[in-house]
Structures are given as structure tokens and as C-alpha cells.
Amino acid sequence: MAVGVRVLEHNAMVYRRTWHGSVLSSLLSPILFLAAMGIGLGGYVNRNGGAGALGGVPYIAFLAPGLLAAQAMQTAAFDTTYPIMGRIVWDKLYDAMLATPLTVRDLLVGELEWVVTRLTLVCGAFLVVMAAFGAVRSPLAILALPVAVLTGVAFAAPIMAFSATQKRDSNFNVLFRFGITPLFLLSGTFFPLDRLPAAIQPVAYLTPLYHGVALARELTLGSVDPAAAVAHVVVLLAFAAGGIALAGVALRRRLVV
Amino acid sequence: MAVPHAARDAVPFEADRVPPLIEARGLVKRFGTFTAVDSVDFEVAPGEAFGFLGPNGAGKTSTMRMIGCVSPLTDGYLRVLGLDPSTDGPRIRARLGVVPQADSLDMELTVRENLQIYGRYFDLSRREALRRAGELLEFVQLSERANDEVEPLSGGMKRRLVIARALINEPDLLLLDEPTTGLDPQARHLLWDRLYRLKQRGVTLVLTTHYMDEAEQLCDRLVVMDKAKIVAAGSPRELIERYSSREVAELRFAPGVQASLDGQLDGLADRVEWLPDRVLLYADDGEAAATAVHARGLRPESVLVRRSSLEDVFLRLTGRSLVD
Ligand SMILES: Nc1ncnc2c1ncn2[C@@H]1O[C@H](COP(=O)(O)OP(=O)(O)O)[C@@H](O)[C@H]1O
Ligand SMILES: [Mg+2]
């Protein structure tokens, strides 16, 4: 039996009962954002010469891939905080799973397989909405899907490691308020990074979201710099791989006592 | 059985001896510097109902988790189903049924789905998992609730569902950690009845409890655990015979009187145990002991004569009661 598939199956079984709401929100959220910020705010930006500053690209086409990557980050962060804590602490679901032939490896890999599934659905829906808004300007945009999924995993894995060390959910608030939200706002999602104060710019380069945003944007706009693209992928893979290693250690420490 | 290593080695090998399902020698579990299980020895034979009786904190759960191959041993020798938990964990767990102390049910799934998905963890086909789920719901009398959420079930129903879940892989060995703690008497009796049926079908049961009546009802053999150690081992009958008298007379005196009795009960019984709220006289004939108390002019407010129980054994061995 392939590693993790039973855990994946479990999560799919749970999802079967809630997918309607989740599909609706994964369509609604990009529609709202692109309508309000892409068309509403974007109209204003374009009229005032913003397109020039953005390299001649309408604001909505600049913004949409940024939102795509940010959506991947948020989905990943949410799915690997409260649900993981619930399964460790509240419902003791992992204890029940570990009493069967399943191992910690199955839990970790299965949860990640599930995160990848979810990200594919959510980001796929996002791309479809983007296309409908005319914010996709190159066939390379199809590659923005795996890039967005990888961006999600680059967050999911280390956050899972963090969640596995937490006794209560109180620090999740801190994570969202001081981690996820600032990244969402300051990683080049809404405006180019060179608008940030010079002191903060290097910090942004160190976070995975910046790389996800930049690469997704190059792909949907069809202006890829191969060397930069490789660098972006390497950074994302490093966060994912490091996170997976940490999560394995943290889960084992927590569950195998 | 708590057999010292030397004595064990002296026992000649018997070719027809059925190999034990569980064999533990010098089993130790430490959390940091704290020792939760301190070098315990025991064996469980196929078809047996074996119990760990002891108060909270005795180390029962820690022992069960090592047997269940979810908690690595700190030290000692352990074989479960003839295999080594440190190398064959998944293979052993495939043949175990586990009822953990905390229910750990899946609150996001229905009653039936809880069983189905658990069957899938054991690699049953979807069809087979569904078939067994139906059968087991029948067995634990939850068929009517099959499509309900788990949350609103009563404590007793949840416990029965956990037992059904533990049976989904048709285990050779069923581990039950405090199966009836916190349940009302009716729910407990229903559960005992189900466990008794399993035992009759030849399922080997290993359970922990701090209820002496549960241990007496269900266990062929048990060990008494206290403060990380096994303090006695045997059948309930043997333990009572060895450590207690046949009967007990429980005397309750008016407030303040007990403290002034000092010496006045001497010689009335094999042994006298002074508890904060009552005095226990251990004697073969409890009535006779009670009569002798009255003959000395003492007037307890109430006298209860009963058969000796495992509670008395525990009191004798540790000086404390099982449930505080
Ligand atoms: N994970 C743990 N970390 C530290 N101490 C523990 C842990 N699990 C159990 N203990 C301690 O070990 C002792 C025995 O616990 P346990 O095996 O649960 O006893 P029982 O099941 O008989 O009540 C208790 O004092 C408990 O606090
Ligand atoms: Mg316990």
C-alpha cells in the first residue's frame, strides 16, 4: 500500500460532507477579489499611469497571479493549523490511526497528499476565474498551477511542524496576524517589491510567498526569465523539503512517546 | 505471571506448551527521569482474559501502550504475538484490536463511517469494511445510529462504538484500557456482556481497570499494579485467598468514636484495617466477628458483612484503596 493513501482517503471521506461549501468559496473568493481589486481598484490604477509602472500590464493581470499564490499560502496555512491540532489534541485521531498498521510517515505523507489535493482544487478554480476575467495572458499560465501548489506546500510543511509542537491553538492567531497577513500584503502581491522600504526588501526575498508570487506572475504574463525561475523553484523546494523533515521530527516527538 | 528470571530459566522446556501471546520481562517505561513502569514481568496465554488492576497513575496505560506497539520501551524484553514491537510494529498492530482510554472517535464522520475508514486502515476492501461495519454495529447494538453523528452519542454508546472499531480487523488480541470508566451501571453491564461473549468466542482480552468488580467479572488472571510495579499476580480467587480472609465485617461508628477504640478490637479477627470512615475486620466468619464486637459492649452504627474482594487485596498490599 502506498504511503499515506489511507490518511488521504480519510480526509477525502470527511471532505465529502463539506465540499459544496468549500467549492463555492474557492470560486467566490477569487471572483470577489478580482472584481473589487482587479477591476475596481485596477481601473483607478490604470487610469493614473499605474500600467506604465507595471511594465505596461493592466493592474488585474499583475494582481491576479499574486493573489493566486497568496491563496495557496492561506489555504495551506489554514489546513495545517487547526485541523492538525484537532487531530493531535482534540479528537486524538492520530492516536487512533497509529494503533493500526499506519505509521507517523503515513500521517505526514497522507496529510501532505491531501494538502496537495486541496491546493490543486482551490488554485485550479482560481486560475479558471482568472481566465474568465481576462487576467491570463500566456498559455504558460497552466504551469502557474503547479507553482501555486508548490508555494502552498512550502508553507504547509513547516506550519505542520509548528502545529505539531503546540499544546493549544492560541499561537495560531499570532502566526496568522504576524506571519501570514504581513506576507500576504508585502510579498509583491499587490505592488512590486521595489516599492517597499529598502530595509524590508531583503526580508521579503527570504520568504516563500515572494518567490511563488514572482514565478506565478512571470508564467501568467508569459515573460519568464529562466534563471530567475529556477531560483524561485529552488527556494520553494527548500522550504518544502526542510518543512517536511521538521514536521516528521515534530510529529514523531509528539505522538510516539 | 511474575516469574523471576532465574526461576524461569529453571523451568524445563515443555514442547507442548502453547507459546504466550504476550511475553514481558523487565519491562520499563520512563518519561524523562520519571519511571512509569518499573521492570514488570507478565505473560498472557491465548484465549485468556488478563487484567491489570491498579489505581490511577499505577502505570497501566503506559504498559498497554507498549503492548500496543505505539510506545517504545525504555528497557526490557517484550514479544507480542511472538514478534518484536521495535521492529515489527505495523505487523503486530495489524492483528491487534485497541480500545484506548480516551475514545478517539472521528467526530467528523458518522458512526458507520468511523468503522469503515478504520477497516481501510487495516487494508480491508471497501466492501469488506462495509460488511463488517454492519455486523459489528449489530453486535454492539448501534445499528439504529449507523448514520448519525458521533458527538451526540452517550458515553456508553461511544465506548461500544470504540469496541466495534477495535474488532474491525478480527484481532487475535484485544487490548482494552479502562473499558467502562465513567459509565453508568447499566452501560457497564451491557459492555461486560459484550466482552464476555468475545471471550467465549476465544478472543484473548487484556484489560486495565481500577474497578475490582470489573476485574473479578472479566479476568481469568490478573496482576495488581501500584506505583509502576506489579505487587501481586494470580486469579481473582487465588489473590483473595492469598491476601485476604473469606469474609469482611465493615463497622461504622458514630463520629469520633472510632478514634477512641484503641485496642478494643484486638483479637476479634485475623486482621483489622483502620480506614478514615470505617474499620474492617478480616475473618473467615464475618458474622461471628461482628457478634464478638457486640459482646465486648461496642455499638457500631452499622455493620456490613460481605465476601472479601480484590479491593481488600489491594488494601492489604498497598495500604490504600483502589479508587479514591
Ligand atoms: N507522556 C507522558 N509524559 C510524562 N509522564 C507520563 C506520560 N504518560 C504517563 N505519565 C505518567 O506516568 C504515570 C503512569 O501513568 P499511566 O500509565 O497513565 O497510569 P494509569 O493508566 O495506571 O493511570 C503517571 O504518573 C503519569 O503522570
Ligand atoms: Mg490509564
Side-chain angles (χ1 to χ4, degrees):
Chain A
M1 182 175 50
V3 183
V5 292
R6 294 297 181 238
V7 178
L8 178 68
E9 185 177 335
H10 164 268
N11 291 6
M13 198 174 204
V14 172
Y15 192 64
R16 222 166 48 188
R17 317 175 76 212
T18 55
W19 69 273
H20 313 85
S22 143
V23 165
L24 196 67
S25 82
S26 22
L27 287 172
L28 212 57
S29 149
I31 290 173
L32 285 174
F33 261 103
L34 291 180
M37 310 213 60
I39 298 177
L41 179 63
Y44 180 79
V45 172
N46 296 340
R47 268 195 307 281
N48 291 281
L54 299 172
V57 175
Y59 185 63
I60 192 168
F62 172 86
L63 173 71
L67 287 178
L68 168 70
Q71 175 79 66
M73 168 185 75
Q74 279 163 324
T75 302
F78 188 81
D79 280 13
T80 50
T81 45
Y82 297 95
I84 297 293
M85 161 138 305
R87 286 163 190 177
I88 295 174
V89 183
W90 299 325
D91 295 345
K92 309 230 176 287
L93 195 70
Y94 289 156
D95 285 338
M97 287 177 167
L98 291 176
T100 74
L102 300 181
T103 61
V104 172
R105 204 181 146 83
D106 286 299
L107 301 188
L108 173 61
V109 175
E111 290 292 357
L112 287 171
E113 286 166 359
W114 175 247
V115 167
V116 167
T117 309
R118 278 264 296 151
L119 287 168
T120 306
L121 294 173
V122 168
C123 297
F126 202 113
L127 265 174
V128 169
V129 173
M130 266 175 77
F133 274 83
V136 170
R137 294 163 66 94
S138 158
L140 284 177
I142 195 73
L143 291 177
L145 181 58
V147 166
V149 171
L150 176 59
T151 306
V153 175
F155 282 95
I159 293 177
M160 201 185 288
F162 171 72
S163 298
T165 63
Q166 297 298 297
K167 297 244 178 320
R168 283 171 300 279
D169 62 359
S170 45
N171 282 337
F172 292 157
N173 262 329
V174 179
L175 172 72
F176 281 99
R177 198 166 303 161
F178 297 104
I180 301 302
T181 303
L183 284 184
F184 176 56
L185 295 172
L186 303 176
S187 295
T189 318
F190 296 97
F191 53 86
L193 261 197
D194 55 26
R195 300 291 127 146
L196 279 180
I200 304 185
Q201 279 184 35
V203 179
Y205 289 121
L206 291 176
T207 69
L209 185 59
Y210 161 73
H211 297 275
V213 167
L215 186 51
R217 185 169 287 143
E218 290 182 14
L219 289 165
T220 59
L221 292 179
S223 57
V224 183
D225 167 357
V230 168
H232 294 316
V233 170
V234 166
V235 172
L236 293 174
L237 282 175
F239 271 95
I244 289 170
L246 286 176
V249 172
L251 281 171
R252 212 157 268 125
R253 248 192 222 160
R254 187 67 183 273
L255 297 168
V256 184
V257 286
Chain B
M1 249 178 308
V3 184
H5 297 197
R8 249 191 81 83
D9 294 339
V11 175
F13 179 72
E14 296 164 59
D16 58 349
R17 200 179 77 124
V18 188
L21 280 196
I22 307 175
E23 191 179 3
R25 270 183 272 143
L27 196 59
V28 176
K29 183 74 199 184
R30 271 191 286 272
F31 298 106
T33 56
F34 177 80
T35 305
V37 178
D38 191 357
S39 189
V40 303
D41 306 89
F42 58 90
E43 271 182 25
V44 179
E48 227 182 353
F50 184 88
F52 290 91
L53 176 68
N56 277 330
K60 304 183 298 295
T61 297
S62 304
T63 306
M64 288 291 255
R65 285 174 48 81
M66 288 190 279
I67 300 172
C69 306
V70 291
S71 168
L73 0 168
T74 309
D75 200 3
Y77 173 91
L78 179 65
R79 289 291 176 273
V80 182
L81 305 168
L83 301 168
D84 181 351
S86 67
T87 52
D88 282 315
R91 260 178 80 200
I92 299 172
R93 294 198 299 269
R95 294 167 58 196
L96 299 184
V98 179
V99 175
Q101 189 167 348
D103 284 334
S104 70
L105 287 165
D106 200 322
M107 297 300 168
E108 295 176 297
L109 297 176
T110 65
V111 167
R112 194 203 313 274
E113 285 171 337
N114 261 277
L115 300 185
Q116 278 175 269
I117 193 69
Y118 218 68
R120 296 288 287 157
Y121 300 157
F122 288 95
D123 238 352
L124 301 183
S125 70
R126 287 200 175 77
R127 249 179 87 131
E128 181 61 9
L130 187 63
R131 189 188 68 76
R132 290 193 195 176
E135 255 179 41
L136 287 168
L137 288 176
E138 200 68 42
F139 176 66
V140 296
Q141 301 180 341
L142 282 174
S143 299
E144 285 92 82
R145 308 300 296 264
N147 298 316
D148 292 0
E149 303 260 333
V150 171
E151 187 54 50
L153 298 185
S154 71
M157 289 178 175
K158 283 185 183 145
R159 220 56 192 138
R160 264 142 59 202
L161 181 56
V162 177
I163 290 182
R165 187 179 72 176
L167 294 171
I168 197 86
N169 59 328
E170 298 177 344
D172 298 326
L173 174 60
L174 188 58
L175 305 177
L176 304 121
D177 197 356
E178 306 213 7
T180 68
T181 297
L183 301 186
D184 59 57
Q186 204 189 340
R188 295 179 72 199
H189 280 100
L190 180 55
L191 257 162
W192 285 349
D193 174 66
R194 298 297 115 163
L195 295 179
Y196 193 72
R197 285 182 198 208
L198 288 172
K199 190 179 148 185
Q200 280 183 318
R201 286 189 206 166
V203 179
T204 307
L205 305 180
V206 175
L207 61 105
T208 76
T209 182
H210 58 244
Y211 297 121
M212 51 105 186
D213 49 348
E214 187 158 87
E216 274 168 42
Q217 288 258 346
L218 293 173
C219 298
D220 302 320
R221 225 155 46 79
L222 56 94
V223 292
V224 180
M225 265 191 107
D226 185 44
K227 294 185 179 154
K229 287 191 191 295
I230 290 178
V231 291
S235 71
R237 260 270 278 294
E238 282 167 8
L239 286 169
I240 291 167
E241 277 171 13
R242 200 180 321 150
Y243 295 102
S244 192
S245 54
R246 207 170 67 88
E247 291 187 341
V248 188
E250 295 199 8
L251 314 177
R252 282 172 201 270
F253 291 92
V257 175
Q258 186 177 317
S260 64
L261 285 177
D262 197 45
Q264 294 187 66
L265 295 172
D266 289 358
L268 290 182
D270 302 345
R271 198 163 58 82
V272 181
E273 193 78 54
W274 299 81
L275 299 183
D277 59 336
R278 59 196 196 276
V279 184
L280 308 182
L281 302 183
Y282 289 94
D284 269 344
D285 186 343
E287 283 298 342
T291 309
V293 170
H294 281 267
R296 287 200 181 170
L298 299 172
R299 294 285 171 270
E301 282 193 327
S302 74
V303 177
L304 169 73
V305 175
R306 57 170 177 81
R307 295 181 65 86
S308 246
S309 70
L310 286 173
E311 175 79 44
D312 300 301
V313 171
F314 189 80
L315 192 62
R316 170 68 189 279
L317 288 168
T318 68
R320 290 175 296 115
S321 31
L322 268 168
V323 187
D324 14 59

